[in-house]
Amino acid sequence: MARPGKGRHTAYWLLAPGAIWLALFFVIPFYSLLSASLFGPNGSVLTGYKVTYHFGNYGSAIRDYHSELFRAPLVRRAWRH
Amino acid sequence: LICLVIGYVLAYAIAFKAGRWRNLLLVLVIAPFFTSFLLRTLSWKLILSDHGFVVSTLQNLHILGSDGRLLNTWFAVIAGIVYNFLPFHGAAALRQPGEDRRSPRRGGRRSVRLAVQGFLQGDLAALAPGCRRRHAAHLHPAAGDYINAQLLGSPGGRMVGNVIQSLFTSTGDYASAGALSMILMIMIIGLVLVYIRKSGTEELV
């Protein structure tokens, strides 16, 4: 006869491979990307980068690349031709 | 949109008109998926090359000028994207959840209005969930795609994927690349949430 409570954690153990997969290929890369997006403006490949929570990167990215982000550039070019 | 229109017609033809050829046609539509994405895109370079069959035929028909070309133009990029993501839509014919809603084929003549109404509310509506689902599924890889623009487009015609790739690998501007990637991700998540709100999660996968 099975003891009451035995196997209570089985579902969690079965979830483990999926959770590890998610952590390895989603959570860690997402965290890495998020930290990269908050690098300070003075960083470079030579001097290295530091997370300075510089949210201005988002503003400058939208300002500099809004045409690529919000409009299909190819359609725009098609209209020009 | 081109994918949606072509995919809808394709799915309609395969699901309802192909008869015993249905499975074969489905395999032919989905078969390109079995080869590399890069290889499929590179093959378009051959097809659209300046001395290829397509360009020379269009030049002979005076649709293209004598020095006209298709490669390295916006047309080539859009053609590549449509080709690469069309199987997503063709696969909508795999399931027709609303097949029972198909317009009944009654004997005798029907008025054109009734026939069109029956077609729109029956056959076409039956494929709508599948096509909508595939369209949502293909939006994600297409949004970040940079291979088509890089291989088939001109250096000036960049997509957001190309910008992110060049910021990461060439310029070394990780901050802008990261911010741009996050913005793109947030935009896609926003679109998915709108889709879920309208259609639920059952059709998403």
Side-chain angles (χ1 to χ4, degrees):
Chain A
M1 191 176 160
R3 277 184 302 162
K6 191 187 175 188
R8 201 172 45 183
H9 300 292
T10 310
Y12 294 106
W13 284 114
L14 287 172
L15 273 177
I20 292 167
W21 180 274
L22 204 65
L24 277 178
F25 296 107
F26 184 74
V27 177
I28 294 171
F30 182 80
Y31 175 74
S32 163
L33 192 66
L34 186 67
S35 357
S37 73
L38 298 172
F39 280 159
N42 300 322
S44 73
V45 181
L46 295 174
T47 58
Y49 294 94
K50 269 190 175 173
V51 179
T52 57
Y53 300 99
H54 189 257
F55 286 94
N57 290 333
Y58 285 84
S60 56
I62 291 173
R63 198 172 50 247
D64 296 343
Y65 304 108
H66 62 93
S67 57
E68 283 88 352
L69 259 179
F70 299 114
R71 282 184 288 170
L74 302 166
V75 175
R76 185 165 48 99
R77 290 177 74 82
W79 280 111
R80 274 192 205 155
H81 282 86
Chain B
L1 281 178
I2 298 170
C3 262
L4 192 65
V5 172
I6 299 177
Y8 218 113
V9 173
L10 198 67
Y12 176 80
I14 293 174
F16 299 132
K17 300 290 177 191
R20 64 196 176 98
W21 300 104
R22 180 170 176 253
N23 289 339
L24 178 70
L25 287 173
L26 257 178
V27 169
L28 288 177
V29 169
I30 298 168
F33 259 143
F34 303 147
T35 59
S36 154
F37 179 81
L38 204 61
L39 211 61
R40 275 182 280 150
T41 311
L42 278 170
S43 68
W44 274 87
K45 283 189 95 157
L46 286 175
I47 296 168
L48 301 177
S49 67
D50 293 344
H51 305 292
F53 170 75
V54 176
V55 170
S56 56
T57 306
L58 291 175
Q59 282 174 345
N60 289 336
L61 293 170
H62 298 288
I63 294 170
L64 271 181
S66 56
D67 58 344
R69 60 192 316 226
L70 290 177
L71 206 60
N72 298 335
T73 62
W74 59 270
F75 174 84
V77 180
I78 290 176
I81 292 173
V82 168
Y83 167 72
N84 278 314
F85 294 105
L86 194 61
F88 281 101
H89 288 273
L94 279 170
R95 277 178 59 200
Q96 308 107 48
E99 193 163 11
D100 53 320
R101 286 187 293 163
R102 292 186 63 189
S103 55
R105 301 283 189 268
R106 297 191 193 92
R109 294 176 65 181
R110 284 191 299 168
S111 73
V112 175
R113 192 177 64 83
L114 270 177
V116 170
Q117 201 176 356
F119 172 73
L120 290 176
Q121 292 174 355
D123 296 348
L124 226 54
L127 279 174
C131 282
R132 209 168 48 224
R133 183 174 62 240
R134 303 295 167 180
H135 196 64
H138 114 238
L139 176 75
H140 314 152
D145 174 66
Y146 64 91
I147 298 290
N148 283 288
Q150 188 169 319
L151 295 179
L152 304 173
S154 59
R158 296 189 303 175
M159 291 171 75
V160 68
N162 298 90
V163 176
I164 293 169
Q165 190 246 358
S166 74
L167 284 172
F168 262 124
T169 57
S170 310
T171 324
D173 187 358
Y174 297 149
S176 297
L180 212 52
S181 304
M182 288 299 295
I183 293 166
L184 184 67
M185 201 186 293
I186 290 164
M187 283 167 65
I188 291 172
I189 289 170
L191 285 171
V192 171
L193 287 177
V194 169
Y195 175 85
I196 288 172
R197 202 173 167 81
K198 278 187 173 295
S199 308
T201 52
E202 282 181 15
E203 290 176 3
L204 199 62
V205 287

